[in-house]
Structures are given as structure tokens and as C-alpha cells.
Amino acid sequence: MWTVLVSIFVFTLYATAIVFSVRAAQTARTPQGAVGWVVFLVSAPFFAVPLYLFLGHHRFRGYRIARQQSERVVEGIKTFADYSRPDPSKMSINPRPFEFLAHLPISSGNGAQLLVDGQATFDAIFEALDKAKNYILIQFYIIRDDALGRKLQTKLIEAAKRGVHVRFMTDAVGSYGLPNTYLDTMRDAGIDVADPRQQRGPNFRFQLNYRNHRKTVIIDGETGFIGGHNVGVEYLGEDPHFGHWRDTHIRMTGHIVRQLQLIFTEDWHWARDEDLIDDLDWAGSVSEQDMNALLVATGPGDETETGAMMFFSAIAEAKERLWIASPYFVPDIDVMTALQHAAMRGVDVRILVPDVIDHRLPWLAAFAYFDEIRDCGARVFRYTDGFMHQKVLVVDDTLAAVGTTNLDNRSFRLNFEAMALFFDSRAALAVDQMLRTDFEASYELTRTLSQQPAHIRFGAPLARLFAPIL
């Protein structure tokens, strides 16, 4: 009897692996991802089938339908926002690829202020929340019920009591540990909460794909924030394991705030099936800094590979310098090739990654890429003053980007992300100075993979096999 049960179990497992293999071949967003899943499922079904339940399901058709249904929102911002469109022929970087990916035009009249680390970021956000007059739109991937999370909750409740309409949203998996009482307290105070556990789409811990990784705060359509910080005391450097948490946010003004607002309205439309176009301010004001800027949102709901193509477009524009800071370095083939080609052209390519581990598999997989990119002339720096989580890049002296997109396949294809791009020498200089300080708190990687300790030497190639599905 026991033998029969084991045989049935094994047969069922292999049959399931075959079904999943066919599905992966049909739905994976890249050939590499399809091959990776098929080989893994067929060769090691005992491990692969459970992982596929967590990490599989590659295309997100439902969000694309929701976006089509919210075309009025997309067209609305183009109508209501008084864009001062710069002359592309007078820009040193061609903005057309980025505009194509964003489905929005670049605009002048924008302002930017870098916010380095958690204290500066949340001081600025809380100050803006206190000044809100009409509405607040707020969204984070992770919100914790700790000292920082409760302070945010208090600020939002105080705003609601002043008559400010607060709309609050978070990700079901990112904020899986957030208790219902946290949300109930805000609802009782009059805050409009998009319950993460009642949203459409995969919203349970068993499904890790299609996470909304965006971190968005918008005040009255006038001031916006985006960057790498979530809401938890570790982002203030108070976690003893990580210590200093190195991250970057950006405070924005001008038309780019309305573009960020558009992305929030699409996410809200998906979460609540509500159209906010008539409830928000789409005119707003411009900034005296008068920077050219564009908000590029990417995700699995897009028809094209917008995440990878955004990085590819930035890399292709680099003539003298390309510096990228990311907590993970697991690029796809196209982005890796573009980075190698830029380095071979003589571009100063620098990749800044953390030395501290938060997720072991992508940390380990990165070592399998370092030799290849360094052989082409790029330089790899490992940040040592705590954990580095920022998502930042600078191209020459003309383009700076800050946002939520990591340099890995998950951010490129499986998460909803957003990056603020500023086509301005002042923004580039600010990021330049910030990253130079980070390089001083780093060491340059000089050892090859063969010179690494055994667990890295043998583990990195194995971890790289999972790169298409990380």
C-alpha cells in the first residue's frame, strides 16, 4: 500500500512538472526564463514544483485590461497638464526612447531634491504631509507596524482630521505582516484604504510575482516623492543586523508630480476599480529649477519589456560616464551586453552594490557576472558602510534617475516599478556628488571568481542558473 501511494505521488509530481513546463514555455517573458523553468521542472520536480507555485505565472494580463479601461486617466493627464515640452533637438540625450516607454512626454518646469538616507527622507515626507491641504496619495511596498509605521499612521490621521482626503495603498505580500488593526484604525479616522488583501490579482504570500514595488507619496498634486525607502525602522538604520541603511529618495515638484500621480491613479484603479481623474489636480504649478524630467513606470502589465529597455536606453546614451547603484546585480542578457559594450567604448562604467547580504541568492548570483563585466573595462564597487538599497543611475553630466527599479530580472519583468528621470546637469551633479561619497565607503572588487571563497566560487554559477526567475 505504501509503495502504491509513493508511486502515485511521484507520478502526480512529474505530471504536474510537465504541465508547469508547458505553461512556462508558453508564458515566460524571455526565452531564458522559459528554458530555465523547463529544465528545472523536468530535472528536479521535487524542488521546482513548489518554487513554481511561488515564483511562476509570468504574464499579468489582468492589469493590462485594467490599464485599457483607465485610458481616460492616461489621456486626462495629457489634456489637463500644461506641459512645457522642451525641444528634443536641443537636448544632449535623445528623450524619445524614454517617452515611448513612459507613454508620456518629457516636460520642463520640474524641480528635484535628493534625500539621502531615511532620516532626511521621512523628515521631508512628514513635513509635506503636515502641509497637505486637499489630498494625499500614498503607497509603499512595505509598511510595518513599528515606530516609523505608527508615526506615518499618526500623520495621515492628523491630515484626515483636517479635512484632507487621504488615499492609502500597500502591497499584500510586501506588507504581509501588517495587522488588520493598523488599517482599521486609519479607516475609522476617515482614510480611504485600498485593502491589500481584497485587491484584484495575486495578493497572497503564496504568489510572489507581480508585486507593486513602488513607493509613492503625492501631496495636492504639487509635491511628490519616490525612491528606495519603505516604511520600517530598518530604513532609519535601526536594525542591528543591517546597521546603517544606505538609501535614496527624491522630492519632486512640477509636471513630473502629475505624471507620478497618473501612475498612482492606475494602481488605484486596479486596486479599487475607481477612476480618480476628476478628484485630483492635474494643472498644478511649475518649479523655478525648470528641469526637464519624465516619470517612467514599468511592469508586467506592459506589452513591451519596459524595465529592461529603460536601462538599455540609458546605457546606450552614455558617452563618458555611467554609474549605477543597485542592491542587486542580476541583469538580463541584453542589459549585460549593453553594459559591456559601453565599457568597451571607453565609457566609465561603475556598478555599486552592497557587500552586506539581505537576499542570499541574488547576492551570490551577482558574482557570476562580475568577471564578465570587469573584463570589458567596467568597475565594480562593494559598499561596506551598512546595507545599500538605493536604485540610482547617472549618465554623463546630463541624466540622473532615482526610483524603485533594481538591476535584476524581477524588477525588469515581474514587479511594478517607477523611476524619475531628470535630464539636467544639476540633477546629474547632485547624484554624482552623492555617489562619490558612496564610493569612498566602498572597496573596488579586484578578485576574480576563481579567487573567491569556495562557497562563492561554486555557489555563484549555480545561483546564476536561477537568474531568469529571480
Side-chain angles (χ1 to χ4, degrees), residues 80-84 107-111 135 219-223 251-258 281-290:
F80 290 118
D82 181 22
Y83 282 108
S84 302
S107 68
S108 59
N110 301 289
Y135 61 86
I219 312 296
D220 296 333
E222 292 283 353
T223 304
R251 179 185 183 273
M252 304 179 297
T253 52
H255 295 309
I256 193 171
V257 177
R258 269 76 75 186
D281 179 9
W282 298 100
S285 60
V286 298
S287 168
E288 293 181 357
Q289 288 181 287
D290 197 26

Side-chain angles (χ1 to χ4, degrees), residues 112-116 246 248-250 291 321-326 350 352 390-403 419-439:
Q113 176 192 1
L114 279 183
L115 301 170
V116 179
R246 175 69 192 89
T248 302
H249 241 66
I250 191 168
M291 295 181 178
R321 181 258 301 273
L322 171 68
W323 296 351
I324 302 175
S326 173
R350 301 187 192 184
L352 179 63
Q390 63 179 328
K391 305 91 166 55
V392 170
L393 67 84
V394 59
V395 174
D396 299 337
D397 297 321
T398 52
L399 170 61
V402 178
M419 294 288 284
L421 277 58
F422 284 83
F423 302 82
D424 188 275
S425 60
R426 293 163 293 176
L429 178 60
V431 173
D432 171 290
Q433 294 174 340
M434 179 183 71
L435 290 182
R436 287 183 187 275
T437 301
D438 292 335
F439 289 137

Side-chain angles (χ1 to χ4, degrees), residues 85-96 99 106:
R85 182 172 170 79
D87 185 353
S89 65
K90 296 181 179 179
M91 298 178 62
S92 57
I93 286 183
N94 182 4
R96 290 187 177 90
E99 292 179 318
I106 191 173

Side-chain angles (χ1 to χ4, degrees), residues 201-235:
N203 57 10
F204 47 93
R205 198 172 182 81
F206 200 53
Q207 175 51 256
L208 300 184
N209 286 349
Y210 311 135
R211 307 300 6 125
N212 197 319
H213 196 237
R214 295 167 184 155
K215 296 94 174 171
T216 299
V217 180
I218 299 162
I219 312 296
D220 296 333
E222 292 283 353
T223 304
F225 297 86
I226 194 171
H229 290 93
N230 288 295
V231 181
V233 295
E234 67 268 34
Y235 293 86

Side-chain angles (χ1 to χ4, degrees), residues 117-175:
D117 289 338
Q119 196 63 55
T121 294
F122 287 103
D123 283 350
I125 289 176
F126 290 155
E127 180 183 2
L129 294 178
D130 288 341
K131 294 180 179 179
K133 297 179 180 178
N134 299 313
Y135 61 86
I136 294 169
L137 311 176
I138 187 163
Q139 171 188 31
F140 282 94
Y141 174 62
I142 297 172
I143 296 179
R144 303 199 191 282
D145 187 20
D146 58 14
L148 184 61
R150 288 188 290 274
K151 185 173 181 180
L152 173 65
Q153 182 191 59
T154 298
K155 292 289 184 181
L156 296 177
I157 290 174
E158 290 174 350
K161 290 180 178 178
R162 298 196 309 269
V164 177
H165 191 158
V166 181
R167 294 180 174 91
F168 173 94
M169 183 162 43
T170 188
D171 184 82
V173 171
S175 295

